[in-house]
Amino acid sequence: MIYIHIPFCRQKCSYCNFHFSTSLNFKDEMLAAMKKEIFLRKDELQNKNLQSLYFGGGTPSILSPDEIKSLIDEVLKYFSFENDIEITLEANPDDLDKTFLKGLADSPINRLSIGTQSFFEADLKLMNRVHTANEAEDSIKRSQDFGFENLSIDLIYGSPTSNLEIWKENLNKTIALEVPHISSYALTVEPKTALENWISKGKVISPKEEEQNREFYYLSDFLKNNGFEHYEVSNFAKPGFYSRHNSSYWKYKEYLGIGPSAHSYNGFDKRSWNVANNQQYIKKLQSGILAKEEEILSQKDQFNEMMMIGLRTIWGVDLNSLNEKFNGEIMEYFHKEIKSKLEEGILIIEDNHLKIPEKHWFMADGIAADLFMV
């Protein structure tokens, strides 16, 4: 699978610390550099027949449909697509007008991930989103009108501008719109963001963990009662609508990341990442040099990643794979560390897979971190 990072946004969301630029001055040079990187790295994936292609960002919908098609055409020069390939485009509601969607409907894109975040103006203003509450709803309906049935939306809970009743209304609206996939995250205060600055100056109240906990478990129960499967801590899908691309990450499959700040993984022991600087990225690729660094993951690194990723999913961590992959010292440590958590019920073993019971999923990252080798 291939991930393409589009490092442009119209404006910066108050909570975001991802890599992007609000200037489009070097967009053409960036697209040319990405195509050059695809060519230079065409032999890094063992499997040339792609199951998924994902445009993330940033805001990929800031590109025109023709620019998106040109990147897909570049990928097709060196890779083939499975007949049922999933090709996802992350999009902002304000970009999804009729002209854009008409062009997109004529492209190979067959899945949209829409950055809705909320259907309430107060939430959207706090987050510094470009779109309005009306655009949030209308963009979903328009996308469906143009034949995009495989839709995902992002929703953020635990905002200081929200509460449980507002959160319930957000979820009722989502169900009414018949969206088959939802990615939902607690509002987090990341370093060096506008949100962190506002909170430090007392302009905004800090999100409350107990409120986020309540809203998370309401979210899980509500969506399951409405036919969704809670298959990863932050992801819910109707049957047949799991994100194939993201599921591959969570199952440790190889992937290639194109664009500034994008990461890649060989499926075994090597991870690489591109420089998180647009100008440096462009300059290096113009000279035919890859703008990346890489590392060989130690056994401890691989073990820790399997804990962090696997324990966030319904699949858990395959104990057979764990025994095959790691030496006696690591496995001795592992069995010692999980003993008390199994006794407490924080961890369980089902069908030879180690899992966190769903009632403890809100604390999944902390539980997994307790198992890390240092």
Side-chain angles (χ1 to χ4, degrees):
M1 60 180 184
I2 292 178
Y3 170 83
I4 298 179
H5 184 81
I6 306 301
F8 301 113
C9 284
R10 300 194 193 283
Q11 67 184 39
K12 188 176 181 66
C13 297
S14 63
Y15 55 86
C16 180
N17 66 347
F18 287 179
H19 170 70
F20 66 90
S21 170
T22 54
S23 169
L24 296 177
N25 290 342
F26 297 96
K27 184 179 68 170
D28 291 343
E29 291 87 343
M30 177 62 71
L31 294 176
M34 288 179 171
K35 291 173 183 177
K36 186 70 171 287
E37 186 184 8
I38 293 168
F39 165 72
L40 291 173
R41 303 185 70 184
K42 64 185 185 299
D43 295 323
E44 287 190 28
L45 285 182
Q46 291 188 8
N47 186 358
K48 300 285 189 182
N49 192 29
L50 301 181
Q51 293 183 330
S52 68
L53 175 61
Y54 194 104
F55 289 86
T59 308
S61 57
I62 211 166
L63 301 181
S64 70
D66 284 342
E67 288 169 332
I68 294 165
K69 290 176 196 174
S70 74
L71 286 170
I72 295 174
D73 288 342
E74 193 68 25
V75 172
L76 277 169
K77 289 180 182 179
Y78 316 108
F79 299 90
S80 59
F81 290 170
E82 288 197 357
N83 291 334
D84 62 344
I85 186 172
E86 174 192 274
I87 307 181
T88 302
L89 181 83
E90 289 184 354
N92 276 356
D94 48 294
D95 290 325
L96 296 175
D97 59 25
K98 290 182 178 180
T99 301
F100 182 85
L101 284 165
K102 185 177 185 301
L104 210 60
D106 293 331
S107 80
I109 298 290
N110 55 24
R111 184 175 185 269
L112 294 180
S113 178
I114 304 175
T116 306
Q117 314 309 357
S118 176
F119 294 103
F120 285 85
E121 293 293 349
D123 293 341
L124 296 173
K125 286 178 181 177
L126 174 73
M127 298 173 196
N128 200 35
R129 298 293 291 172
V130 178
H131 67 275
T132 65
N134 284 337
E135 284 176 324
E137 181 175 350
D138 291 345
S139 66
I140 295 169
K141 293 177 178 177
R142 273 196 303 272
S143 298
Q144 292 166 331
D145 289 343
F146 276 91
F148 289 99
E149 296 179 359
N150 194 353
L151 291 180
S152 177
I153 68 169
D154 290 348
L155 291 175
I156 290 179
Y157 59 89
S159 167
T161 50
S162 185
N163 56 42
L164 184 59
E165 292 309 309
I166 291 174
W167 182 231
K168 288 178 180 179
E169 290 187 50
N170 264 315
L171 295 175
N172 283 326
K173 175 74 73 175
T174 302
I175 294 300
L177 289 168
E178 298 183 342
V179 175
H181 188 283
I182 297 163
S183 297
S184 192
Y185 308 93
L187 182 68
T188 54
V189 184
E190 300 292 348
K192 299 179 181 179
T193 59
L195 182 61
E196 182 194 46
N197 183 46
W198 295 340
I199 290 172
S200 70
K201 292 181 178 179
K203 294 180 179 179
V204 174
I205 300 170
S206 183
K208 293 180 172 60
E209 185 174 302
E210 62 271 21
E211 184 66 20
Q212 292 184 335
N213 185 301
R214 286 177 65 208
E215 292 181 11
F216 171 79
Y217 286 110
Y218 180 85
L219 161 75
S220 179
D221 290 341
F222 178 83
L223 290 182
K224 285 188 294 183
N225 288 337
N226 281 277
F228 284 78
E229 296 169 358
H230 193 179
Y231 71 108
E232 194 269 348
V233 169
S234 301
N235 285 272
F236 305 79
K238 289 286 184 73
F241 286 95
Y242 285 21
S243 168
R244 192 182 310 172
H245 187 87
N246 289 336
S247 295
S248 294
Y249 288 149
W250 303 325
K251 294 179 180 179
Y252 325 112
K253 294 185 179 179
E254 65 169 353
Y255 56 88
L256 179 63
I258 301 296
S261 82
H263 284 60
S264 303
Y265 175 56
N266 71 350
F268 300 102
D269 62 355
K270 186 165 74 174
R271 190 173 299 285
S272 65
W273 56 95
N274 288 340
V275 62
N277 180 293
N278 286 6
Q279 290 304 307
Q280 288 182 29
Y281 175 84
I282 291 170
K283 187 175 180 180
K284 287 200 172 188
L285 267 301
Q286 285 175 339
S287 301
I289 302 169
L290 290 174
K292 67 167 185 168
E293 296 181 48
E294 62 182 40
E295 66 174 338
I296 300 299
L297 300 172
S298 68
Q299 285 264 300
K300 286 183 180 180
D301 292 335
Q302 294 174 58
F303 172 82
N304 291 346
E305 285 201 6
M306 286 187 75
M307 294 300 109
M308 179 56 77
I309 296 170
L311 289 176
R312 287 180 58 91
T313 72
I314 58 170
W315 306 293
V317 176
D318 186 336
L319 297 181
N320 289 331
S321 297
L322 213 61
N323 279 306
E324 292 171 4
K325 192 175 181 70
F326 299 111
N327 60 37
E329 179 187 352
I330 290 178
M331 293 310 298
E332 184 178 335
Y333 167 88
F334 170 72
H335 286 294
K336 178 184 175 184
E337 291 299 313
I338 67 171
K339 187 174 185 296
S340 62
K341 287 181 169 54
L342 288 171
E343 291 171 352
E344 294 172 37
I346 296 173
L347 292 173
I348 57 173
I349 294 176
E350 289 182 350
D351 300 323
N352 216 32
H353 284 70
L354 183 72
K355 303 178 182 180
I356 298 174
E358 193 177 348
K359 65 181 180 180
H360 297 301
W361 270 18
F362 187 72
M363 304 302 295
D365 289 348
I367 295 169
D370 285 345
L371 302 178
F372 285 0
M373 295 192 76
V374 294

